[in-house]
């Protein structure tokens, strides 16, 4: 049943004669999406939708308004700017477009589950399925919390809006414009729903550091011993897969804050990759594809409602959005204690890094600021060799402030909380991609379990000659050979050459950050030959 808006759109200067569907349930939004032809129902209940030409984020179409609020606080080397004048024109045209709609969907939600650090967000959507998506991904207030809800930030999402580059200062007809002074986000020209959730992430990444709260692009879970682990990692490194462990309590799969008292989820749902999802390797996630309340993006479905998770004809980046409650054994409070372990995941397609390494706080900050993973050959036209990707803080596109702000905050949190840090390679062993093999997930899980239960600290360690971190020599249940990546290569000299190339890539990438960190972090950097 629709809950009336306690703080009307008119009070926000948004005039419209549209029928407003406010704070509908997931089931109601699914039905409206089906009734309007926005999507189709798969067998067993999920809503299946297509996002058209945009099957991922439009990173080059995102802008932050550059004004007195943001001039000295935003990292402009990483964030495209929009003038206040261009935003004013864009806002005026958005409000005109809103006024012309017959139907709008509105959801009042929280970004963040810890009450003292969450932000109240109102999302206004053109499509019912977009409203269901964001209602699934953010934290849902209780009916009592909706009473008197006054939004702090507002997102207007109009996929059919076409930006005018000359009038609005955009690159194309697609736009994601963030005005931190007016507390307004305008999204147009794209049906990809992930733009909304990442906009809220960006807002929290801006708001929380001055409060001493560390925003993190990570998953998090709690072990049987009550200790929390966080998992940093870029797309494809196993962040969602490794956190969805039936033996551990899931806090969340993507975005969290680290406060004085807790690790808390920014969201109330998960947004998992679905392409080639293996029901045996990832049964908890696979089960969500058979549930009502799940939204499947760009997943191919036949006329009988059967989905094919192996078919990438619509997109390689197929996704599923589902409530946290769809995963067994999730945190009732959507938060947990401060971390005892910090895991940094990388998929090293060069086959150089060991499957696990122990990091000092300085090394942890170095690798956090580096944010390394690698693309594999064949994923893009013309890519014939593995390609290094460095995304600082494991989430550069979502970081409005300078990386050193987040890096120094992480180092402080690690030092104060005594968390143990680990670098885990879920990539290749025995050679680069195309020569070696993908790291066995059973080995990764065994090493992770040993790290998380504390037993790995009792192992014998050696110093890695390339990166200087500690690598275990032997771990029960894991082939000793895999722990020494050089020994897995047929040609040791070829390994040494690949290792030095990777070290040089790290060194070159870190150069812009060196002046912003202390000497301990600079000493943690590998030395190029």
């Amino acid at each position: 049943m629709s809950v009336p808006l306690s703080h009307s759109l008119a009070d926000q200067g948004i005039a419209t004669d549209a029928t407003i569907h406010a704070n509908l349930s997931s089931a109601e939004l699914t039905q409206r999406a089906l009734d309007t032809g926005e999507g189709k129902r798969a067998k067993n209940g999920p809503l299946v939708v297509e996002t058209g030409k945009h099957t991922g984020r439009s990173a080059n179409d995102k802008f932050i308004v550059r004004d007195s609020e943001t001039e000295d606080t935003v990292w402009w080397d990483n964030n495209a700017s929009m003038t206040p004048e261009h935003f004013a024109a864009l806002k005026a045209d958005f409000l005109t477009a809103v006024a012309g709609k017959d139907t709008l969907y509105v959801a009042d939600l929280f970004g963040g589950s810890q009450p003292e650090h969450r932000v109240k967000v109102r999302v206004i959507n053109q499509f019912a399925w977009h409203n269901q998506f964001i209602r699934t991904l953010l934290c849902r207030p209780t009916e009592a919390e909706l009473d008197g809800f006054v939004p702090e930030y507002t997102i207007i999402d109009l996929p059919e809006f076409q930006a005018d580059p000359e009038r609005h200062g955009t690159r194309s007809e697609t736009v994601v414009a963030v005005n931190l002074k007016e507390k307004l986000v305008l999204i147009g020209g794209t049906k990809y729903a992930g733009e909304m959730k990442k906009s809220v992430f960006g807002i929290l990444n801006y708001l929380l550091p001055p409060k001493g709260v560390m925003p993190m692009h990570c998953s998090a879970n709690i072990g049987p011993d009550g200790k929390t682990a966080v998992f940093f990692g870029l797309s494809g490194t196993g962040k969602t897969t490794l956190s969805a462990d039936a033996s551990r309590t899931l806090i969340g799969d993507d975005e969290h804050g680290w406060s004085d008292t807790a690790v808390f989820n920014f969201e109330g749902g998960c947004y998992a990759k679905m392409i080639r999802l293996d029901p045996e390797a990832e049964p908890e996630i696979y089960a969500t594809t058979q549930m009502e309340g799940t939204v499947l993006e760009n997943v191919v479905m036949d006329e009988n409602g059967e989905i094919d998770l192996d078919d990438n004809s619509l997109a390689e980046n197929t996704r599923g959005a589902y409530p946290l409650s769809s995963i067994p054994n999730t945190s009732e409070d959507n938060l947990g204690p401060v971390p005892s372990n910090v895991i940094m995941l990388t998929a090293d397609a060069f086959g150089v890094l060991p499957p696990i390494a122990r990091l000092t706080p300085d090394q942890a900050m170095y690798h956090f600021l580096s944010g390394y993973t690698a693309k594999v050959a064949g994923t893009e036209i013309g890519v014939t060799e593995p390609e290094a990707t460095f995304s600082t803080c494991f989430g550069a596109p979502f970081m409005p402030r300078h990386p050193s702000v987040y890096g120094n905050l992480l180092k402080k949190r690690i030092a104060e909380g005594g968390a143990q840090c680990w670098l885990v390679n879920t990539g290749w062993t025995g050679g680069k991609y195309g020569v070696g093999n993908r790291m066995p997930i059973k080995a990764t899980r065994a090493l992770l379990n040993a790290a998380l239960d504390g037993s790995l600290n009792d192992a014998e360690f050696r110093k890695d000659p390339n990166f200087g971190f500690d690598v275990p020599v032997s771990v029960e249940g894991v082939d000793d050979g895999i722990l020494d990546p050089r020994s897995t290569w047929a040609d040791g000299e070829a390994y040494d050459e690949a290792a030095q190339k990777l070290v040089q890539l790290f060194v070159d990438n870190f150069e812009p950050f060196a002046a912003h960190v202390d000497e301990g972090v600079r000493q943690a950097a590998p030395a190029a030959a």
Side-chain angles (χ1 to χ4, degrees), residues 27 30-31 34 39-48 292-293 301-302 304-306:
T30 292
Q31 190 56 55
L34 294 171
K40 297 178 180 178
R41 192 188 294 277
K43 192 175 180 180
N44 299 319
L47 177 65
V48 179
E292 292 188 8
M301 181 177 70
D302 67 18
N304 297 316
E306 297 284 355

Side-chain angles (χ1 to χ4, degrees), residues 123-144:
V123 186
I124 302 168
N125 294 111
Q126 175 183 352
F127 293 150
W129 84 261
H130 270 201
N131 204 241
Q132 180 178 343
F133 173 94
I134 199 61
R135 184 184 181 280
T136 300
L137 265 295
L138 294 188
C139 298
R140 296 166 289 282
T142 63
E143 198 159 328

